[in-house]
């Protein structure tokens, strides 16, 4: 039955062993979260905490990068434009063309719960930062 089975109520049960976290061109957000992010020199900058998806267009707009802290204490969250990141199979992670110093100067928030509330214009702040003179076009 190709991984979808009917339960006793006649509705589909998707709890079979079908691989749903990745295909040749798609990946589940669950698998993206926690993936390492590196600079172009191969230095680990942090990991992806979450992704922000446009409600209307369904496209991933930002990856929220967790950086700093220890065991979640003092960790900052940096929304990064998704189009700035490229997946590198050799690194088994994402690579972004910024340095640790540039990341440290980027818009950030102290906790995942307040990062959007910190500024009504947060997306404009993020977009302006990553399209400024220090960053080449993706």
């Amino acid at each position: 039955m190709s991984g979808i089975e009917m339960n006793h109520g006649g509705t589909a049960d998707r709890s079979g062993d079908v691989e749903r976290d990745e295909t040749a061109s798609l990946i589940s957000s669950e698998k993206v979260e926690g993936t390492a992010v590196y600079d172009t020199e191969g230095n680990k900058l942090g990991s992806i905490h979450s992704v922000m998806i446009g409600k209307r267009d369904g496209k991933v707009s930002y990856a929220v990068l967790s950086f700093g802290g220890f065991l979640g204490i003092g960790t900052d969250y940096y929304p990064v434009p998704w189009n700035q990141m490229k997946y590198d199979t050799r690194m088994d992670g994402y690579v972004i063309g910024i340095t640790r110093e540039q990341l440290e100067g980027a818009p950030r928030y102290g906790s995942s719960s307040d990062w959007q509330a910190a500024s009504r214009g947060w997306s404009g702040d993020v977009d302006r930062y990553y399209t400024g003179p220090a960053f080449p076009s993706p």
Side-chain angles (χ1 to χ4, degrees), residues 61-62 79-81 84 107 121-132:
S61 296
Y62 302 94
V80 176
Q84 296 280 331
W122 69 266
S123 63
D125 295 341
V126 170
D127 293 342
R128 278 188 295 281
Y129 184 80
Y130 288 99
T131 58

Side-chain angles (χ1 to χ4, degrees), residues 109 111-122:
Y109 306 94
S111 75
S112 61
S113 63
D114 73 0
W115 75 272
Q116 185 174 351
S119 167
R120 293 194 78 107
W122 69 266

Side-chain angles (χ1 to χ4, degrees), residues 8-67:
H8 294 292
T11 58
D13 179 5
R14 298 189 179 271
S15 63
D17 59 357
V18 175
E19 185 75 23
R20 283 190 269 295
D21 61 357
E22 189 170 0
T23 69
S25 62
L26 299 171
I27 190 166
S28 166
S29 63
E30 288 181 355
K31 194 165 183 182
V32 172
E33 293 168 1
T35 302
V37 177
Y38 301 93
D39 64 17
T40 56
E41 301 297 315
N43 302 307
K44 184 175 178 184
L45 296 174
S47 61
I48 295 179
H49 172 71
S50 59
V51 293
M52 301 299 293
I53 302 168
K55 287 182 179 180
R56 293 195 170 98
D57 65 10
K59 294 180 181 177
V60 175
S61 296
Y62 302 94
V64 179
L65 177 63
S66 61
F67 172 71

